[in-house]
């Protein structure tokens, strides 16, 4: 059942965490949630919504801050378990914990300020001819219980208390989380911390629930339950599309905000390769191999124009890849998919393996790999540009400026795209930037995309297949908008209106009144 304690004995439906570096089973057994248990969690969330949806911004802010405090109180126990289950270094996990608690507190600040509800007021015009205008007041209200799926590659920041959970709770929506089976112990610890925050803040028990499961049945049971009104997901294209399709088949279809595959193309323009090609090659490989390539913003595709400088860039990048070290990937399944993906990609017509790190005897170590192809080959086989999740990248050599632009036009949707160029060169390639703006959610100049700032202006989403809804973001305060909907109140007495819409504006938030913004 939800948030059940870790047990010391196994059953037919139980499983253990696995150390990805060694393949060894970790202490503790976790029970696969039954359909009835998932239904109970969803039904409790629906009951909790009746009360939680009415909580003020200040009350929800206090709850989010309490979650952050409870997570920090877990101390080294959380980091130690996360390292054992993910193989990630403690320094990385310490930073990720800070990101997790930081985004909870950022949403708390956002709620206290309050203007996110987008309050709009059109006051009554009783004497307007030929017809009077009624008093109209609109604001965003919470959707309802949200199903959240933990991600494999961020056991903290995109998992149980990650951005999807934080933004849904901030919007006023109870959450049912499906823990990722790659880090069940980490998920359990964080889930229990959230439950302590629920109790400390006097919130309904169904405000948050955590369920475990290795099978797709558990996740599908969440998506298909009628109490769930939206879903947040970070993972593969296959997984996200399956959830999206299931949600669309429901008698009441619901939105699925799925962040899926992206190769985040990087375009290196000719002049900047002349000036600093060697340094860029090293920085590019460092970005490709960072975290064993297991970031959703990993630059899995690069584009250059054929030249002697491009040849040097490739040589230096190849040397850097050869000198890099394989490391444990997050799960055996991810390692298997990466290995199979590299094998399939290397056999595609026009694709060659330029460089590869030295293989090591290991359980699930990813071998950094750099491949090359031509623009003609890519344009003839767009599958070459598809994501291979892990420490690899494909460099596409274009024969001309026109071919480089043709590659950009044929790209599918991605989370990011980067253009490296000199100041003058970037102006010369303004048409490239215009093309890429239509392909991605975040466009970078002279910087690799593997750092995603949690802030008000961040956009972490993009056209399909990067996400199922290019208008949404899973990082930053705009993520709250996914779990809210506009409601208009017509001719309401002031006493019945939410504080955000009352004439006196007691919360002092910014509102659009008769077409003009004011506080």
């Amino acid at each position: 059942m939800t948030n059940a304690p870790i047990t010391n004995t196994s059953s037919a439906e139980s499983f253990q965490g696995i150390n990805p570096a060694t393949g060894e089973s970790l202490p503790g057994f976790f029970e696969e949630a039954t359909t009835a248990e998932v239904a109970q969690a969803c039904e409790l969330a629906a009951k909790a919504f009746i009360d939680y949806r009415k909580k003020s911004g200040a009350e929800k802010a206090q709850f989010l801050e309490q979650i952050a405090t409870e997570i920090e109180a877990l101390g080294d126990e959380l980091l130690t378990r996360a390292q054992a289950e993910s193989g990630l270094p403690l320094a990385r996990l310490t930073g990720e914990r800070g990101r997790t608690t930081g985004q909870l507190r950022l949403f708390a600040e956002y709620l206290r300020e309050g203007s996110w509800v987008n309050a709009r007021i059109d006051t009554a015009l009783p004497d307007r001819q030929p017809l009077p205008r009624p008093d109209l007041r609109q604001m965003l209200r919470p959707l309802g219980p949200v199903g959240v799926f933990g991600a494999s590659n961020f056991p903290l920041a995109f998992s149980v208390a990650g951005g999807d959970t934080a933004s849904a709770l901030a919007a006023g929506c109870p959450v049912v989380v499906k823990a990722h089976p790659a880090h069940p112990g980490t998920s359990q610890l964080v889930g229990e911390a959230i439950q302590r925050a629920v109790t400390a803040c006097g919130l309904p028990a169904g405000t948050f629930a955590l369920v475990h499961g290795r099978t797709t049945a558990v996740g599908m049971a969440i998506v298909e339950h009628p109490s769930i009104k939206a879903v947040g997901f970070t993972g593969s294209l296959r997984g996200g599309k399956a959830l999206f399709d299931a949600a669309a088949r429901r008698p009441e279809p619901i939105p699925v905000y799925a962040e899926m595959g992206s190769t985040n193309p990087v375009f290196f323009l000719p002049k900047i390769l002349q000036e600093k090609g060697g340094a860029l090659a090293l920085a590019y490989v460092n970005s490709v191999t960072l975290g064993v390539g297991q970031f959703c913003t990993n630059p899995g595709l690069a584009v250059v124009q054929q030249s002697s400088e491009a040849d040097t860039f490739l040589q230096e990048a190849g040397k850097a890849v050869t000198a890099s070290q394989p490391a444990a990937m997050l799960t055996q399944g991810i390692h298997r998919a990466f290995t199979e993906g590299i094998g399939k990609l290397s056999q595609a017509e026009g694709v060659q393996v330029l460089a590869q790190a030295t293989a090591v005897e290991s359980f699930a170590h990813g071998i950094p790999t750099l491949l090359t192809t031509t623009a003609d080959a890519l344009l003839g086989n767009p599958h070459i540009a598809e994501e291979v999740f892990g420490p690899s990248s494909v460099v596409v050599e274009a024969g001309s400026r026109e071919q480089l632009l043709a590659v950009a036009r044929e790209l599918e949707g991605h989370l990011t795209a980067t253009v490296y160029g000199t100041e003058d060169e970037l102006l010369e390639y303004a048409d490239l930037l215009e093309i890429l703006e239509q392909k991605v959610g975040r466009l970078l100049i002279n910087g690799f995309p593997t750092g995603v700032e949690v802030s008000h202006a961040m956009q972490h989403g993009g056209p399909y297949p990067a996400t199922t809804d290019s208008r949404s973001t899973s990082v930053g305060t705009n993520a709250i908008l996914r779990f809210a909907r506009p409601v208009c109140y017509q001719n309401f007495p002031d006493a019945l209106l939410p504080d955000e819409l009352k004439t006196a504006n007691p919360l002092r938030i910014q509102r659009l009144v008769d077409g003009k913004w004011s506080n």
Side-chain angles (χ1 to χ4, degrees):
M1 181 42 194
T2 58
N3 281 348
I6 301 173
T7 63
N8 295 317
T9 57
S10 65
S11 70
E13 293 78 28
S14 66
F15 64 97
Q16 292 176 270
I18 303 293
N19 186 318
T22 65
E24 296 174 340
S25 296
L26 297 168
F29 291 87
F30 302 87
E31 294 295 322
E32 184 97 6
T34 65
T35 301
E37 288 170 339
V38 172
Q40 182 181 1
C42 294
E43 288 158 10
L44 285 172
K47 290 181 180 178
F49 182 58
I50 297 171
D51 179 59
Y52 186 62
R53 67 183 295 273
K54 294 181 286 188
K55 296 299 180 183
S56 68
E59 289 172 314
K60 290 183 292 183
Q62 181 183 9
F63 175 41
L64 295 180
E65 290 169 340
Q66 186 64 37
I67 294 174
T69 298
E70 296 288 351
I71 290 173
E72 289 168 344
L74 292 170
D76 292 343
E77 180 185 8
L78 176 63
L79 299 180
T80 301
R81 182 75 191 201
Q83 183 183 39
E85 290 184 329
S86 68
L88 297 171
L90 280 176
R92 149 77 190 272
L93 290 167
T94 301
E96 191 180 329
R97 180 180 60 183
R99 174 183 174 135
T100 304
T101 57
Q103 67 189 354
L104 286 163
R105 292 186 171 112
L106 178 66
F107 274 110
E109 292 175 7
Y110 198 47
L111 291 174
R112 285 199 171 91
E113 193 281 326
S115 298
W116 76 272
V117 299
N118 194 23
R120 294 165 176 258
I121 298 174
D122 294 325
T123 54
L125 298 175
D127 298 326
R128 189 184 68 175
Q129 296 296 328
L131 294 172
R133 183 175 78 185
D135 186 88
L136 300 169
R137 302 182 183 225
Q138 182 199 101
M139 65 178 285
L140 294 174
R141 301 298 283 163
L143 271 180
V146 172
V148 170
F149 289 73
S152 64
N153 58 338
F154 281 87
L156 299 174
F158 279 83
S159 191
V160 176
D164 288 342
T165 296
S167 55
L169 292 174
C173 302
V175 172
V176 178
V177 173
K178 161 66 168 61
H180 198 285
H183 36 79
T186 305
S187 298
Q188 185 74 27
L189 288 168
V190 175
E192 290 169 354
I194 298 176
Q195 286 288 19
R196 286 192 289 273
V198 169
T199 301
C201 294
L203 300 176
T207 302
F208 172 83
L210 176 71
V211 295
H212 289 283
R214 292 178 298 178
T215 69
T216 58
V218 175
M220 284 299 178
I222 294 174
V223 173
E224 293 170 353
H225 196 279
S227 294
I228 297 298
K229 302 304 180 184
V231 170
F233 171 86
T234 300
S236 68
L237 173 59
R238 180 181 177 184
K241 185 65 164 58
L243 297 179
F244 179 86
D245 291 344
R249 288 192 300 265
R250 285 177 32 148
E252 177 200 359
I254 58 172
V256 173
Y257 298 104
E259 180 201 318
M260 304 178 293
S262 180
T263 51
N264 309 294
V266 180
F267 289 77
F268 294 100
L269 302 183
K271 290 180 182 177
I272 202 162
L273 288 186
Q274 291 177 7
E275 292 185 5
K276 52 180 71 173
L280 287 177
L282 180 58
Y284 162 59
V285 171
N286 286 339
S287 184
V288 169
T289 58
L290 182 67
V292 204
Q294 297 167 120
F295 290 101
C296 47
T297 51
N298 181 59
L301 192 73
V303 185
V304 299
Q305 286 179 223
Q306 291 176 349
S307 66
S308 58
E309 289 79 16
D311 291 341
T312 301
F313 171 83
L314 284 170
Q315 291 169 8
E316 294 301 315
K319 291 177 184 177
V321 166
T322 302
S324 61
Q325 297 297 315
M329 301 193 76
L330 291 160
T331 70
Q332 188 176 19
I334 289 174
H335 174 259
R336 185 185 308 113
F338 172 70
T339 303
E340 292 174 355
I342 292 298
K344 181 180 178 180
L345 188 57
S346 63
Q347 293 172 15
E349 185 175 354
V351 178
Q352 296 179 329
V353 175
L354 176 68
Q356 205 166 34
T358 302
V360 296
E361 291 292 332
S362 65
F363 175 67
H365 279 47
I367 302 173
T369 305
L370 186 64
L371 306 100
T372 61
T373 191
T374 64
D376 287 333
L378 179 64
L379 295 171
N381 181 10
H383 293 297
I384 293 172
E386 292 178 356
E387 181 184 39
V388 177
F389 189 67
S392 72
S393 191
V394 180
V395 180
V396 181
E397 294 186 82
S400 64
R401 183 184 193 279
E402 290 69 29
Q403 263 204 331
L404 182 143
L405 294 176
V407 168
R409 291 190 189 97
E410 292 303 312
L411 290 172
E412 292 187 310
H414 294 273
L415 294 172
T416 74
T418 297
V419 178
Y420 267 94
T422 65
E423 185 174 348
D424 292 341
E425 194 171 34
L426 291 169
L427 294 174
E428 294 172 15
Y429 281 78
D431 47 356
L432 172 62
L433 298 174
E434 290 175 1
I435 294 168
L436 294 177
E437 183 184 23
Q438 302 172 59
K439 304 288 184 177
V440 303
R442 179 164 57 111
L443 190 54
L444 296 86
I445 297 294
N446 296 342
F448 291 102
T450 37
V452 182
E453 181 72 22
V454 180
S455 68
H456 300 293
M458 177 52 65
Q459 174 63 25
H460 192 62
Y464 186 85
T467 67
T468 49
D469 190 335
S470 64
R471 298 167 298 175
S472 68
T473 179
S474 60
V475 177
T477 51
N478 264 351
I480 197 173
L481 302 179
R482 300 173 297 170
F483 306 121
R485 63 183 181 88
V487 176
C488 180
Y489 303 82
Q490 183 169 327
N491 290 336
F492 261 56
D494 205 65
L496 291 178
L497 287 167
D499 285 346
E500 291 88 344
L501 295 177
K502 288 179 178 176
T503 299
N505 193 10
L507 300 181
R508 313 313 305 168
I509 63 172
Q510 189 177 48
R511 310 189 299 185
L512 186 67
V513 181
D514 293 329
K516 296 181 180 180
W517 290 104
S518 63
N519 288 91

